[in-house]
Amino acid sequence: MTEHFVRFDKALVPVETGAPDREKIRSGRPSNKTWNIEDDGQGLYAGIWESSAGEWDIDYDEWEFFHILEGVSVLTEDGGEPIKLVAGDSFVIRPGFKGRWKVVEPTKKHYVIKI
């Protein structure tokens, strides 16, 4: 691997396991895994995230680009219409987004986050 080129390979970094905060969960028992492949030390992160089924409240302070690799999720902004996310879809979530993330079928995504 070169200093200026990073492969998105889960085998190269340790997995971080977790779940949404209990008070934010609306349904199910969602759990997630994150492979944070890039951390520039200045608030830029990139990697792979996956989650089991469930629904929880989200509140974004950061900017995020993501691309759905597998599964089905529904993202609903407070006061907005539900958006179905399926493999092949790409989106940007801007700071200030508040709403719900519902994983209908286990979902995996690539992400790039800027804090």
Side-chain angles (χ1 to χ4, degrees):
M1 180 161 58
T2 71
E3 188 176 321
H4 296 95
F5 183 76
V6 179
R7 180 180 301 277
F8 267 56
D9 184 346
K10 296 190 305 188
L12 299 176
V13 295
V15 63
E16 299 170 27
T17 58
D21 292 335
R22 217 179 274 215
E23 65 274 1
K24 293 183 179 184
I25 296 174
R26 290 180 170 233
S27 67
R29 296 183 67 189
S31 63
N32 52 57
K33 296 179 182 177
T34 303
W35 293 265
N36 200 43
I37 295 168
E38 173 75 325
D39 177 350
D40 75 348
Q42 298 177 21
L44 180 72
Y45 304 91
I48 303 165
W49 175 90
E50 60 184 46
S51 180
S52 63
E55 183 176 17
W56 61 94
D57 294 326
I58 57 174
D59 185 352
Y60 272 65
D61 292 330
E62 65 273 16
W63 177 97
E64 179 181 356
F65 165 84
F66 64 89
H67 177 79
I68 302 293
L69 301 169
E70 299 174 5
V72 177
S73 285
V74 176
L75 193 59
T76 307
E77 187 168 11
D78 288 349
E81 295 295 319
I83 307 284
K84 186 176 183 180
L85 313 173
V86 299
D89 286 344
S90 298
F91 290 90
V92 168
I93 298 177
R94 294 182 178 137
F97 182 98
K98 293 181 183 186
R100 292 175 310 284
W101 188 295
K102 181 176 184 178
V103 175
V104 179
E105 296 175 10
T107 297
K108 182 187 295 185
K109 68 178 181 178
H110 282 157
Y111 65 85
V112 177
I113 294 172
K114 179 65 177 163
I115 295 178

